[in-house]
Amino acid sequence: MSEECCPELPDCCDMRGLLSFQILWLVSKKSMNGQEISNELGKRRGTKPTPGTIYPALKDLRIKGSVNMERKGRTTTYTLTDNGREGLEIACKYFCNAFGEIFQEYGGLTTEK
Amino acid sequence: MSEECCPELPDCCDMRGLLSFQILWLVSKKSMNGQEISNELGKRRGTKPTPGTIYPALKDLRIKGSVNMERKGRTTTYTLTDNGREGLEIACKYFCNAFGEIFQEYGGLTTEK
DNA sequence: AGTTTAGTATTGGATATCCGATATATTTAT
DNA sequence: ATAAATATATCGGATATCCAATACTAAACT
């Protein structure tokens, strides 16, 4: 088996969305560059976002003031701003309120394999 | 206080997405008409989707074969198809794999108020 | 020096999700 | 019968999210 599980994409409904939210969540755990963020997203979503997806998203988050960019040589490190951390708190509340029941009812079933 | 909590929308990131997934989840619990589905979404998201949001989404799900429509008088009742139920299972797996950690780390904190 | 690789970035095109506005049909109320 | 309310539906416009393709820069390699 591979190192991480490989979630299949359903054909019943669209699973896009919440990319910027998930980026903020990941960056809140650890400041990372674009490739590292893409890798973390790939682990969770099954497919790594392409450059045309991830870099515009990061640019928007910078414009919103949610993350800082610091370029050093070849890589750009993204760090959560204070503003971003406050917003993320609200976003997590919103997210858990909207989707929490799905985990409570379904989430526990997949861990016991 | 009001009957349901009122999640605030963050300004740090976009919280759109997964509408069709959430509709399938709701309909899997109970066949409903458009207004009932909108009301359930409103409870979870804080704002009810407008007709311009919900009806095109339901139409797409019907075209995909995930739900059936049955019009009776003024209302149209939406029911999950077998195909939709299979897809929803996959979608839940995908969703929990992608976002589960956020609940595990954050979700429990909001229930104790 | 020259080549390759890694990381970043933009462009163009597609789709889903959002709203506000408008419209229609059915039911209920007057 | 008429009016009001309910439920459904479409249209136009905006934005986020997705990909494929292309391009650029800095580092590493030969």
Side-chain angles (χ1 to χ4, degrees):
Chain A
M1 69 181 186
S2 65
E3 49 170 84
E4 298 283 343
C5 67
C6 302
E8 188 185 349
L9 263 172
D11 59 349
C12 61
C13 58
D14 194 282
M15 294 304 284
R16 284 184 295 181
L18 300 177
L19 176 66
S20 57
F21 169 60
Q22 196 171 20
I23 291 173
L24 286 186
W25 170 267
L26 292 171
V27 171
S28 81
K29 297 294 162 192
K30 180 171 173 291
S31 293
M32 286 181 282
N33 65 36
Q35 282 306 310
E36 292 170 326
I37 295 168
S38 287
N39 289 336
E40 292 302 318
L41 289 168
K43 283 185 201 166
R44 288 157 178 82
R45 295 178 174 224
T47 49
K48 272 181 61 173
T50 60
T53 298
I54 190 71
Y55 291 110
L58 288 167
K59 188 181 180 186
D60 288 350
L61 287 172
R62 191 192 116 272
I63 291 170
K64 278 207 180 80
S66 302
V67 298
N68 276 330
M69 292 170 56
E70 193 179 2
R71 178 140 201 178
K72 187 162 289 184
R74 190 163 47 177
T75 71
T76 304
T77 301
Y78 296 87
T79 307
L80 203 65
T81 62
D82 289 346
N83 206 304
R85 198 168 294 276
E86 286 175 31
L88 179 59
E89 185 83 10
I90 297 170
C92 285
K93 278 205 187 82
Y94 180 92
F95 180 69
C96 289
N97 188 74
F99 295 104
E101 64 187 329
I102 299 178
F103 286 87
Q104 289 173 5
E105 284 198 38
Y106 192 92
L109 307 177
T110 51
T111 54
E112 28 153 342
K113 190 194 224 167
Chain B
M1 69 179 187
S2 65
E3 51 170 81
E4 300 282 344
C5 67
C6 302
E8 188 185 349
L9 264 172
D11 59 351
C12 61
C13 58
D14 194 283
M15 295 304 285
R16 285 185 294 182
L18 300 177
L19 177 65
S20 57
F21 169 60
Q22 197 171 20
I23 290 173
L24 286 187
W25 170 267
L26 292 171
V27 171
S28 80
K29 297 294 161 192
K30 180 169 171 290
S31 292
M32 287 181 280
N33 63 38
Q35 282 306 310
E36 292 171 327
I37 295 169
S38 287
N39 288 335
E40 292 302 318
L41 289 168
K43 284 184 200 166
R44 289 159 178 80
R45 296 179 173 225
T47 49
K48 272 180 60 173
T50 61
T53 297
I54 190 72
Y55 291 109
L58 288 168
K59 187 182 181 185
D60 288 350
L61 287 172
R62 190 192 116 274
I63 291 170
K64 277 208 181 80
S66 303
V67 298
N68 276 330
M69 293 170 57
E70 193 179 2
R71 179 140 201 179
K72 190 163 284 184
R74 189 164 47 179
T75 71
T76 304
T77 300
Y78 296 87
T79 306
L80 202 66
T81 62
D82 290 345
N83 207 304
R85 197 168 295 277
E86 286 175 32
L88 179 59
E89 184 82 9
I90 296 170
C92 285
K93 278 206 188 82
Y94 180 90
F95 179 69
C96 290
N97 189 73
F99 295 103
E101 65 187 328
I102 299 178
F103 287 89
Q104 289 172 6
E105 284 199 37
Y106 193 93
L109 307 178
T110 52
T111 55
E112 29 153 342
K113 194 194 218 166

Short mmCIF file of all heavy atoms in Angstrom, two decimals, chain A residues 24-67:
data_model
loop_
_atom_site.label_atom_id
_atom_site.label_comp_id
_atom_site.label_asym_id
_atom_site.label_seq_id
_atom_site.Cartn_x
_atom_site.Cartn_y
_atom_site.Cartn_z
N LEU A 24 -5.21 28.31 4.95
CA LEU A 24 -4.99 29.03 6.20
C LEU A 24 -4.81 28.06 7.36
O LEU A 24 -3.95 28.26 8.23
CB LEU A 24 -6.17 29.97 6.48
CG LEU A 24 -6.27 31.23 5.63
CD1 LEU A 24 -7.39 32.11 6.14
CD2 LEU A 24 -4.96 31.99 5.62
N TRP A 25 -5.62 27.02 7.38
CA TRP A 25 -5.50 26.01 8.42
C TRP A 25 -4.11 25.39 8.42
O TRP A 25 -3.46 25.28 9.47
CB TRP A 25 -6.56 24.93 8.22
CG TRP A 25 -6.37 23.73 9.09
CD1 TRP A 25 -5.70 22.59 8.76
CD2 TRP A 25 -6.79 23.57 10.44
NE1 TRP A 25 -5.70 21.72 9.82
CE2 TRP A 25 -6.36 22.29 10.87
CE3 TRP A 25 -7.50 24.38 11.32
CZ2 TRP A 25 -6.63 21.81 12.15
CZ3 TRP A 25 -7.75 23.90 12.60
CH2 TRP A 25 -7.32 22.63 12.99
N LEU A 26 -3.63 25.01 7.25
CA LEU A 26 -2.32 24.37 7.15
C LEU A 26 -1.20 25.33 7.56
O LEU A 26 -0.30 24.96 8.31
CB LEU A 26 -2.09 23.89 5.72
CG LEU A 26 -2.97 22.73 5.26
CD1 LEU A 26 -2.81 22.48 3.76
CD2 LEU A 26 -2.64 21.46 6.05
N VAL A 27 -1.29 26.57 7.09
CA VAL A 27 -0.25 27.55 7.40
C VAL A 27 -0.27 27.92 8.88
O VAL A 27 0.75 28.29 9.45
CB VAL A 27 -0.41 28.79 6.49
CG1 VAL A 27 0.51 29.91 6.93
CG2 VAL A 27 -0.12 28.42 5.04
N SER A 28 -1.45 27.81 9.51
CA SER A 28 -1.54 28.11 10.94
C SER A 28 -0.75 27.09 11.76
O SER A 28 -0.30 27.38 12.87
CB SER A 28 -2.99 28.14 11.39
OG SER A 28 -3.49 26.82 11.62
N LYS A 29 -0.61 25.89 11.21
CA LYS A 29 0.14 24.85 11.91
C LYS A 29 1.64 25.02 11.73
O LYS A 29 2.42 24.67 12.62
CB LYS A 29 -0.27 23.46 11.37
CG LYS A 29 -1.72 23.11 11.60
CD LYS A 29 -2.00 22.97 13.08
CE LYS A 29 -3.49 23.06 13.35
NZ LYS A 29 -3.77 23.21 14.80
N LYS A 30 2.03 25.56 10.56
CA LYS A 30 3.45 25.64 10.24
C LYS A 30 3.61 26.53 9.02
O LYS A 30 2.95 26.31 8.01
CB LYS A 30 3.98 24.23 9.93
CG LYS A 30 5.44 24.13 9.57
CD LYS A 30 5.83 22.65 9.51
CE LYS A 30 7.25 22.45 8.99
NZ LYS A 30 7.38 22.79 7.56
N SER A 31 4.48 27.52 9.10
CA SER A 31 4.78 28.34 7.94
C SER A 31 5.42 27.48 6.87
O SER A 31 6.31 26.67 7.15
CB SER A 31 5.73 29.48 8.33
OG SER A 31 5.07 30.39 9.19
N MET A 32 4.97 27.64 5.64
CA MET A 32 5.43 26.77 4.55
C MET A 32 5.55 27.55 3.26
O MET A 32 4.96 28.62 3.11
CB MET A 32 4.42 25.63 4.33
CG MET A 32 4.44 24.56 5.40
SD MET A 32 3.23 23.24 5.06
CE MET A 32 1.71 24.04 5.57
N ASN A 33 6.30 26.99 2.31
CA ASN A 33 6.32 27.56 0.96
C ASN A 33 5.22 26.91 0.11
O ASN A 33 4.54 25.97 0.56
CB ASN A 33 7.71 27.40 0.32
CG ASN A 33 8.09 25.94 0.11
OD1 ASN A 33 7.26 25.12 -0.22
ND2 ASN A 33 9.36 25.63 0.29
N GLY A 34 5.07 27.40 -1.11
CA GLY A 34 3.97 26.95 -1.97
C GLY A 34 3.99 25.46 -2.23
O GLY A 34 2.94 24.81 -2.21
N GLN A 35 5.17 24.91 -2.49
CA GLN A 35 5.25 23.48 -2.78
C GLN A 35 4.87 22.64 -1.57
O GLN A 35 4.18 21.62 -1.71
CB GLN A 35 6.67 23.12 -3.25
CG GLN A 35 6.94 23.51 -4.69
CD GLN A 35 5.91 22.95 -5.65
OE1 GLN A 35 5.60 21.77 -5.63
NE2 GLN A 35 5.34 23.81 -6.47
N GLU A 36 5.33 23.06 -0.42
CA GLU A 36 4.98 22.31 0.80
C GLU A 36 3.48 22.35 1.05
O GLU A 36 2.87 21.33 1.40
CB GLU A 36 5.74 22.90 2.00
CG GLU A 36 7.24 22.66 1.93
CD GLU A 36 8.00 23.44 3.00
OE1 GLU A 36 7.59 24.57 3.36
OE2 GLU A 36 9.03 22.93 3.47
N ILE A 37 2.87 23.52 0.84
CA ILE A 37 1.42 23.64 1.00
C ILE A 37 0.71 22.73 0.00
O ILE A 37 -0.23 22.01 0.35
CB ILE A 37 0.99 25.11 0.82
CG1 ILE A 37 1.58 25.98 1.94
CG2 ILE A 37 -0.54 25.22 0.81
CD1 ILE A 37 1.44 27.47 1.71
N SER A 38 1.19 22.74 -1.24
CA SER A 38 0.58 21.88 -2.26
C SER A 38 0.69 20.41 -1.87
O SER A 38 -0.27 19.63 -2.06
CB SER A 38 1.27 22.10 -3.61
OG SER A 38 0.89 23.33 -4.17
N ASN A 39 1.83 20.02 -1.34
CA ASN A 39 2.00 18.63 -0.93
C ASN A 39 1.03 18.25 0.18
O ASN A 39 0.44 17.16 0.16
CB ASN A 39 3.44 18.39 -0.46
CG ASN A 39 4.43 18.41 -1.61
OD1 ASN A 39 4.06 18.16 -2.76
ND2 ASN A 39 5.68 18.73 -1.32
N GLU A 40 0.85 19.14 1.14
CA GLU A 40 -0.08 18.87 2.24
C GLU A 40 -1.51 18.77 1.73
O GLU A 40 -2.28 17.90 2.17
CB GLU A 40 0.02 19.97 3.31
CG GLU A 40 1.35 19.99 4.07
CD GLU A 40 1.64 18.67 4.76
OE1 GLU A 40 0.71 18.09 5.34
OE2 GLU A 40 2.80 18.21 4.70
N LEU A 41 -1.86 19.64 0.80
CA LEU A 41 -3.20 19.57 0.19
C LEU A 41 -3.37 18.25 -0.57
O LEU A 41 -4.42 17.63 -0.52
CB LEU A 41 -3.41 20.76 -0.75
CG LEU A 41 -3.59 22.12 -0.05
CD1 LEU A 41 -3.49 23.26 -1.06
CD2 LEU A 41 -4.92 22.19 0.68
N GLY A 42 -2.31 17.85 -1.26
CA GLY A 42 -2.37 16.60 -2.01
C GLY A 42 -2.59 15.39 -1.12
O GLY A 42 -3.36 14.48 -1.47
N LYS A 43 -1.97 15.40 0.04
CA LYS A 43 -2.16 14.29 0.98
C LYS A 43 -3.63 14.17 1.38
O LYS A 43 -4.16 13.08 1.54
CB LYS A 43 -1.34 14.53 2.25
CG LYS A 43 0.14 14.27 2.13
CD LYS A 43 0.79 14.44 3.50
CE LYS A 43 2.29 14.71 3.39
NZ LYS A 43 2.84 15.20 4.68
N ARG A 44 -4.27 15.32 1.57
CA ARG A 44 -5.63 15.33 2.09
C ARG A 44 -6.67 15.16 1.00
O ARG A 44 -7.72 14.57 1.21
CB ARG A 44 -5.87 16.64 2.85
CG ARG A 44 -5.13 16.67 4.17
CD ARG A 44 -4.88 18.09 4.65
NE ARG A 44 -4.20 18.10 5.96
CZ ARG A 44 -2.89 17.94 6.10
NH1 ARG A 44 -2.11 17.76 5.04
NH2 ARG A 44 -2.36 17.95 7.30
N ARG A 45 -6.37 15.67 -0.20
CA ARG A 45 -7.36 15.68 -1.28
C ARG A 45 -7.09 14.62 -2.34
O ARG A 45 -7.88 14.46 -3.26
CB ARG A 45 -7.40 17.05 -1.94
CG ARG A 45 -7.87 18.16 -1.02
CD ARG A 45 -7.84 19.52 -1.71
NE ARG A 45 -8.43 20.55 -0.87
CZ ARG A 45 -9.28 21.48 -1.32
NH1 ARG A 45 -9.62 21.51 -2.59
NH2 ARG A 45 -9.78 22.39 -0.50
N GLY A 46 -5.96 13.97 -2.26
CA GLY A 46 -5.68 12.94 -3.25
C GLY A 46 -4.90 13.45 -4.44
O GLY A 46 -4.11 12.73 -5.02
N THR A 47 -5.13 14.70 -4.83
CA THR A 47 -4.38 15.28 -5.94
C THR A 47 -3.81 16.63 -5.52
O THR A 47 -4.50 17.43 -4.86
CB THR A 47 -5.28 15.51 -7.17
OG1 THR A 47 -6.47 16.17 -6.76
CG2 THR A 47 -5.64 14.19 -7.83
N LYS A 48 -2.57 16.86 -5.91
CA LYS A 48 -1.93 18.15 -5.63
C LYS A 48 -2.54 19.22 -6.53
O LYS A 48 -2.73 18.98 -7.72
CB LYS A 48 -0.43 18.07 -5.94
CG LYS A 48 0.43 17.60 -4.81
CD LYS A 48 1.90 17.57 -5.23
CE LYS A 48 2.43 18.94 -5.64
NZ LYS A 48 3.89 18.91 -5.87
N PRO A 49 -2.84 20.38 -5.99
CA PRO A 49 -3.28 21.47 -6.86
C PRO A 49 -2.17 21.88 -7.82
O PRO A 49 -1.00 21.84 -7.45
CB PRO A 49 -3.62 22.59 -5.88
CG PRO A 49 -2.87 22.28 -4.64
CD PRO A 49 -2.78 20.78 -4.57
N THR A 50 -2.54 22.27 -9.02
CA THR A 50 -1.56 22.72 -10.00
C THR A 50 -1.11 24.13 -9.65
O THR A 50 -1.76 24.82 -8.85
CB THR A 50 -2.17 22.71 -11.41
OG1 THR A 50 -3.29 23.58 -11.42
CG2 THR A 50 -2.59 21.30 -11.79
N PRO A 51 -0.01 24.60 -10.23
CA PRO A 51 0.46 25.98 -9.98
C PRO A 51 -0.63 27.02 -10.28
O PRO A 51 -0.74 28.02 -9.56
CB PRO A 51 1.64 26.13 -10.94
CG PRO A 51 2.15 24.75 -11.13
CD PRO A 51 0.96 23.85 -11.08
N GLY A 52 -1.42 26.76 -11.32
CA GLY A 52 -2.48 27.69 -11.69
C GLY A 52 -3.59 27.76 -10.67
O GLY A 52 -4.44 28.66 -10.72
N THR A 53 -3.62 26.83 -9.74
CA THR A 53 -4.60 26.85 -8.65
C THR A 53 -4.00 27.46 -7.40
O THR A 53 -4.57 28.37 -6.80
CB THR A 53 -5.09 25.42 -8.32
OG1 THR A 53 -5.74 24.88 -9.46
CG2 THR A 53 -6.05 25.43 -7.16
N ILE A 54 -2.83 26.97 -7.03
CA ILE A 54 -2.32 27.32 -5.70
C ILE A 54 -1.78 28.75 -5.62
O ILE A 54 -2.05 29.46 -4.64
CB ILE A 54 -1.23 26.30 -5.26
CG1 ILE A 54 -0.85 26.50 -3.80
CG2 ILE A 54 0.01 26.39 -6.14
CD1 ILE A 54 -1.91 26.08 -2.83
N TYR A 55 -1.10 29.21 -6.68
CA TYR A 55 -0.45 30.52 -6.56
C TYR A 55 -1.44 31.67 -6.60
O TYR A 55 -1.30 32.63 -5.81
CB TYR A 55 0.68 30.64 -7.57
CG TYR A 55 1.84 29.74 -7.21
CD1 TYR A 55 2.15 28.63 -7.97
CD2 TYR A 55 2.59 29.99 -6.07
CE1 TYR A 55 3.19 27.77 -7.61
CE2 TYR A 55 3.63 29.15 -5.70
CZ TYR A 55 3.93 28.04 -6.47
OH TYR A 55 4.96 27.21 -6.10
N PRO A 56 -2.44 31.63 -7.47
CA PRO A 56 -3.48 32.66 -7.36
C PRO A 56 -4.19 32.66 -6.00
O PRO A 56 -4.49 33.72 -5.47
CB PRO A 56 -4.46 32.30 -8.48
CG PRO A 56 -3.64 31.58 -9.47
CD PRO A 56 -2.64 30.80 -8.67
N ALA A 57 -4.40 31.48 -5.44
CA ALA A 57 -5.07 31.41 -4.13
C ALA A 57 -4.20 32.06 -3.06
O ALA A 57 -4.69 32.81 -2.21
CB ALA A 57 -5.37 29.95 -3.77
N LEU A 58 -2.90 31.79 -3.11
CA LEU A 58 -1.98 32.38 -2.13
C LEU A 58 -1.88 33.89 -2.31
O LEU A 58 -1.82 34.64 -1.33
CB LEU A 58 -0.60 31.74 -2.27
CG LEU A 58 -0.52 30.29 -1.77
CD1 LEU A 58 0.78 29.62 -2.21
CD2 LEU A 58 -0.66 30.24 -0.25
N LYS A 59 -1.92 34.31 -3.56
CA LYS A 59 -1.87 35.75 -3.84
C LYS A 59 -3.10 36.45 -3.26
O LYS A 59 -2.97 37.52 -2.66
CB LYS A 59 -1.82 35.96 -5.36
CG LYS A 59 -1.58 37.39 -5.79
CD LYS A 59 -1.58 37.47 -7.31
CE LYS A 59 -1.33 38.91 -7.78
NZ LYS A 59 -1.46 39.02 -9.25
N ASP A 60 -4.26 35.83 -3.43
CA ASP A 60 -5.49 36.42 -2.88
C ASP A 60 -5.43 36.51 -1.36
O ASP A 60 -5.87 37.51 -0.78
CB ASP A 60 -6.71 35.58 -3.29
CG ASP A 60 -7.04 35.73 -4.78
OD1 ASP A 60 -6.45 36.61 -5.43
OD2 ASP A 60 -7.87 34.97 -5.27
N LEU A 61 -4.89 35.48 -0.73
CA LEU A 61 -4.79 35.49 0.73
C LEU A 61 -3.84 36.59 1.20
O LEU A 61 -4.05 37.20 2.25
CB LEU A 61 -4.33 34.12 1.25
CG LEU A 61 -5.38 33.01 1.17
CD1 LEU A 61 -4.76 31.66 1.52
CD2 LEU A 61 -6.55 33.31 2.09
N ARG A 62 -2.81 36.84 0.40
CA ARG A 62 -1.88 37.92 0.75
C ARG A 62 -2.58 39.28 0.60
O ARG A 62 -2.46 40.15 1.47
CB ARG A 62 -0.66 37.87 -0.17
CG ARG A 62 0.47 38.77 0.27
CD ARG A 62 1.53 38.90 -0.82
NE ARG A 62 1.63 40.26 -1.33
CZ ARG A 62 0.89 40.76 -2.32
NH1 ARG A 62 -0.01 40.01 -2.92
NH2 ARG A 62 1.05 42.00 -2.71
N ILE A 63 -3.32 39.44 -0.49
CA ILE A 63 -4.03 40.70 -0.72
C ILE A 63 -5.06 40.94 0.39
O ILE A 63 -5.26 42.08 0.84
CB ILE A 63 -4.71 40.68 -2.10
CG1 ILE A 63 -3.64 40.72 -3.20
CG2 ILE A 63 -5.69 41.83 -2.26
CD1 ILE A 63 -4.15 40.47 -4.60
N LYS A 64 -5.70 39.87 0.85
CA LYS A 64 -6.68 39.99 1.94
C LYS A 64 -6.00 40.28 3.29
O LYS A 64 -6.66 40.62 4.25
CB LYS A 64 -7.47 38.68 2.07
CG LYS A 64 -8.63 38.52 1.11
CD LYS A 64 -9.69 37.61 1.70
CE LYS A 64 -10.87 37.42 0.77
NZ LYS A 64 -10.61 36.43 -0.29
N GLY A 65 -4.68 40.10 3.34
CA GLY A 65 -3.97 40.33 4.59
C GLY A 65 -4.01 39.14 5.53
O GLY A 65 -3.72 39.28 6.72
N SER A 66 -4.36 37.98 5.03
CA SER A 66 -4.44 36.79 5.88
C SER A 66 -3.09 36.10 6.03
O SER A 66 -2.85 35.41 7.03
CB SER A 66 -5.46 35.80 5.32
OG SER A 66 -6.73 36.41 5.20
N VAL A 67 -2.23 36.24 5.04
CA VAL A 67 -0.88 35.66 5.12
C VAL A 67 0.16 36.68 4.70
O VAL A 67 -0.14 37.63 3.97
CB VAL A 67 -0.74 34.40 4.23
CG1 VAL A 67 -1.69 33.30 4.66
CG2 VAL A 67 -0.92 34.74 2.76
#
